[in-house]
Amino acid sequence: TQSLTPASFTITAVDRLGNRLHGGFLKYDVRMSSPEMIESLGGPLRGTVEDNFDGSYRVSMPLTFPGTHSVTATCKQAVNAR
């Protein structure tokens, strides 16, 4: 059995001028897939997104299959934005 290390990365949210968007009002949907995942699981895996409240979001992805994976991150909504 091969042990796989979870993947993690950081998303940094910025406005059109490059300023960080602070305040924790963004929600992200992060998904990872590979042909092996689609065949075995029937679809992509969702990542866990943790808001750092500094304009950055820490994403953790469980790795269940070795190999090359495709990751998509979508900003789904802004909540309590003023």
Side-chain angles (χ1 to χ4, degrees), residues 34 54 79:
S34 70
D54 65 355
V79 292

Side-chain angles (χ1 to χ4, degrees), residues 17-64:
L17 299 176
N19 301 308
R20 279 191 180 209
L21 296 175
H22 299 274
F25 57 86
L26 299 176
K27 299 292 178 194
Y28 284 92
D29 179 46
V30 181
R31 297 175 187 226
M32 176 175 57
S33 66
S34 70
E36 294 82 5
M37 279 184 201
I38 301 298
E39 183 177 318
S40 294
L41 303 176
L45 291 175
R46 283 191 167 190
T48 302
V49 181
E50 186 177 328
D51 191 340
N52 296 320
F53 295 99
D54 65 355
S56 69
Y57 298 79
R58 179 81 170 160
V59 180
S60 298
M61 303 293 302
L63 288 181
T64 55

Side-chain angles (χ1 to χ4, degrees), residues 5 7 10 18-19 22-23 26 39 46 55 60 68 71-72 78 80 82:
T5 303
T10 302
N19 301 308
H22 299 274
L26 299 176
E39 183 177 318
R46 283 191 167 190
S60 298
T68 302
V71 176
T72 59
N80 297 328
R82 296 184 181 121

